[in-house]
């Protein structure tokens, strides 16, 4: 590891974390997990999914979304891990995604290592982050918001 605060994360496509999504339970507002099925070669947003609440046990199923229909990967629920800042909210899909964003944003110099196949850079998670989240002047505020989410929502 280097002695600088440079952070390096692997360039990953959104699908890397998209199989497990944390949302607020529609019944008790507790922590619910959406388990996403195998997309079978289609975009992961279209795969069948099951919501299971870890607090009250509520279960809801959503079948595979037909082609041509707009799919809400979160099944109409608010994403649970929303880091609110003055500039907007940063959403993490699950614990691993939150860790990934934190690791990336904590570095003074942000860097992605190229994907092995070189193909996902344009669509990588980091490339889709809003500019305000990556701005050095907002770093402390964004990291504080992430810490708050970890403390209160996980
Ligand atoms: Zn519940």
């Amino acid at each position: 590891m280097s002695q600088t605060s440079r952070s390096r994360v692997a360039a990953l496509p959104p699908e890397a974390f998209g199989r497990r999504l944390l949302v607020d339970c529609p019944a008790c507002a507790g922590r619910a997990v959406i388990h996403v099925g195998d997309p079978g070669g289609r975009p992961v947003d279209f795969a069948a999914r099951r919501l299971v609440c870890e607090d009250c046990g509520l279960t809801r199923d959503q079948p595979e979304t037909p082609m041509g229909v707009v799919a809400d990967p979160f099944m109409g629920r608010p994403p649970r891990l929303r880091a609110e800042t003055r500039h907007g909210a940063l959403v993490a899909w699950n614990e691993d995604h939150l860790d990934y964003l934190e690791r990336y944003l904590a570095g003074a110099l942000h860097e992605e290592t190229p994907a092995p196949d070189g193909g996902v850079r344009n669509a990588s998670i980091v490339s889709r982050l809003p500019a305000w989240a990556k701005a050095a002047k907002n770093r402390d505020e964004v990291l504080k918001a992430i810490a708050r989410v970890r403390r209160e929502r996980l």
Side-chain angles (χ1 to χ4, degrees):
M1 294 297 285
S2 82
Q3 295 299 306
T4 69
S5 58
R6 175 181 300 234
S7 64
R8 255 174 190 277
V9 294
L12 293 173
E15 286 76 17
F17 300 110
R19 299 291 295 276
R20 177 185 153 86
L21 310 172
L22 297 185
V23 295
D24 290 340
C25 171
C28 74
R31 188 173 108 155
V33 181
I34 295 176
H35 302 276
V36 180
D38 185 346
R42 300 173 66 208
V44 72
D45 283 359
F46 292 88
R49 55 205 59 219
R50 163 169 286 188
L51 179 154
V52 179
C53 177
E54 293 182 337
D55 289 335
C56 74
L58 176 95
T59 300
R60 266 191 197 172
D61 287 304
Q62 177 171 294
E64 200 179 48
T65 306
M67 287 305 269
V69 175
V70 176
D72 176 7
F74 291 93
M75 295 174 67
R77 301 303 308 154
R80 188 157 181 88
L81 306 180
R82 296 181 305 275
E84 307 279 354
T85 74
R86 284 175 302 156
H87 316 281
L90 205 59
V91 170
W93 296 310
N94 57 40
E95 304 88 331
D96 290 345
H97 188 205
L98 191 69
D99 289 346
Y100 178 86
L101 293 177
E102 185 174 44
R103 204 161 63 238
Y104 175 74
L105 295 169
L109 288 168
H110 301 149
E111 232 185 305
E112 278 182 303
T113 57
D117 65 4
V120 301
R121 263 199 92 84
N122 288 339
S124 75
I125 288 169
V126 159
S127 73
R128 292 180 176 198
L129 284 173
W132 60 259
K134 294 194 260 194
K137 66 181 165 66
N138 296 332
R139 182 161 153 245
D140 288 350
E141 185 184 353
V142 171
L143 290 175
K144 249 182 229 160
I146 289 176
R148 197 180 319 123
V149 163
R150 190 185 297 287
R151 203 166 58 235
E152 295 173 2
R153 309 290 290 171
L154 276 181

